Amino acid sequence: MRLRGRALPGLESAAQAVPATGARPAGAAVEALLRLAVSRLDAGTLRTAAEYTLGLAQGTRDWPASSRRARAASVYGVSVERFRKDHEVMVLGQVAEHVLRLAAEPAAAPGAAVAEAGTGTHRTVRARVGERPVTLTLHVHPVDLLRDVDVVVSPSNVHFALPQPYKSSVAASLRRVSSVRGVTGDVLDDPVHAELHKWACRNGTSGRAVLPGTVAATGTGSLAAQGVRRIYHAAVAVPRAGTNDYDVLPSDITRAASRALALLAEERDRFDPPLRSVCFPLLGSGRGGLAYDVSLAALWAAVEAELARGADWDVHFLVRTPEAAALVERIPAGIRPPYDRRPPGGPDGMGEDPRSV
């Protein structure tokens, strides 16, 4: 917020050199430039820490600097002083590098500039399913900032083994934000992990894999304070024997999304008020190795079919990059990519890929 009314000639000059940000008032142009630079950082701790440091994360723009620094330090699990002397310098240096790269890039086509820049962390996408208009909500921020959505779908492997909470995947972030912590920040309870273990024992799957597309429901622990009431763990990643890699089939994503919506219908009236909204990240687009559009098409096939049957769900999509956001915003024009396309080089693991959401 303090960008307004300050003389920042270096940043203002860089912002004017970037077509996607230059045609704005000085303060707004610099903010847009910083958002664009941060969006180019690798997804995970680096980008998340940068968003908190600069007040770009949802709800943090008016936080005092000390609060933003403390939250950024917690991303790396270090003290505030150590973060200030070491990690913060590195984070801001990486942002500065991308600012310089953006300013040095040749002018892109107008359409490409708009698609890359994007605006706002919460956007509305209006589409039609048959003759019926539907409104989708797009979130462009980390999953731990999600608020007031009844159900969030979390990608999982077929063993329902949650990643360690310090990792950067959707599942790890949800485990971290749902944990119960004491006044010193120590974890007192890990309710999502405990509930998922109980689900496996109750359904006779403890110690063995479930079929891809299986969905397990748990509570949300501390995340309930943010208005998120259920986590649906979708088993879509199959470990590849002898490696640290996973295989994810788009058909399993469609099956899991369909099952999640069916489970939402089963559970809806057990809650007061009834469950109504559901949020999907782009399942399988991290270490699962699927391209964004392949994951989105697999999800949309299930969502569209459910809406076509007259379901009145409030559907949300959650992404981390402008590229992924642009794909969701093109849903009204139709999404039908080939299902056999994978990114060059293949996956290198679930949730740690730079394209991870």
Side-chain angles (χ1 to χ4, degrees), residues 11-221:
L11 284 171
E12 289 169 6
S13 175
Q16 292 300 317
V18 179
T21 64
R24 311 180 188 206
V30 171
E31 179 178 342
L33 175 66
L34 292 175
R35 288 188 181 278
L36 186 53
V38 170
S39 76
R40 293 193 171 192
L41 298 175
D42 288 350
T45 51
L46 179 60
R47 188 192 299 169
T48 302
E51 289 169 340
Y52 282 128
T53 298
L54 296 172
L56 301 178
Q58 177 68 16
T60 64
R61 63 188 292 118
D62 61 342
W63 286 15
S66 57
S67 298
R68 287 186 277 109
R69 177 176 285 154
R71 181 62 66 88
S74 70
V75 171
Y76 284 102
V78 299
S79 68
V80 172
E81 187 62 16
R82 181 179 174 188
F83 178 81
R84 182 183 68 82
K85 293 180 177 179
D86 185 8
H87 298 73
E88 187 174 75
V89 176
M90 178 270 292
V91 168
L92 293 176
Q94 290 293 305
V95 174
E97 283 188 20
H98 281 286
V99 166
L100 293 174
R101 289 176 187 173
L102 284 165
E105 287 178 359
V114 171
E116 176 70 18
T119 55
T121 58
H122 294 70
R123 310 177 197 177
T124 297
V125 179
R126 292 182 172 84
R128 297 191 72 85
V129 176
E131 297 302 315
R132 174 189 170 196
V134 297
T135 300
L136 311 171
T137 303
L138 171 61
H139 301 258
V140 190
H141 57 70
V143 70
D144 50 359
L145 299 178
L146 191 65
R147 291 181 178 273
D148 300 321
V149 177
D150 295 326
V151 176
V152 59
V153 179
S154 176
S156 175
N157 56 57
V158 292
H159 294 276
F160 284 133
L162 291 179
Q164 294 299 318
Y166 55 78
K167 293 190 175 181
S168 63
S169 66
V170 168
S173 297
L174 287 171
R175 181 179 182 181
R176 180 172 59 248
V177 74
S178 65
S179 62
V180 178
R181 297 177 180 270
V183 293
T184 62
D186 295 328
V187 175
L188 304 179
D189 190 18
D190 192 358
V192 171
H193 178 266
E195 281 197 51
L196 199 54
H197 178 69
K198 289 178 181 177
W199 184 96
C201 293
R202 187 168 60 251
N203 289 277
T205 63
S206 182
R208 66 178 181 85
V210 299
L211 290 175
T214 301
V215 176
T218 68
T220 59

Side-chain angles (χ1 to χ4, degrees), residues 205-284:
T205 63
S206 182
R208 66 178 181 85
V210 299
L211 290 175
T214 301
V215 176
T218 68
T220 59
S222 295
L223 192 56
Q226 296 179 200
V228 180
R229 298 192 280 172
R230 299 291 276 169
I231 298 175
Y232 288 174
H233 305 267
V236 295
V238 180
R240 193 180 302 164
T243 73
N244 291 321
D245 297 334
Y246 296 86
D247 290 315
V248 179
L249 296 178
S251 56
D252 291 334
I253 291 176
T254 301
R255 189 177 301 111
S258 295
R259 177 55 190 150
L261 292 169
L263 186 57
L264 178 59
E266 292 174 20
E267 292 197 330
R268 172 177 50 194
D269 294 329
R270 300 177 193 171
F271 293 81
D272 185 20
L275 302 177
R276 185 173 180 275
S277 54
V278 58
C279 181
F280 292 96
L282 296 189
L283 305 177

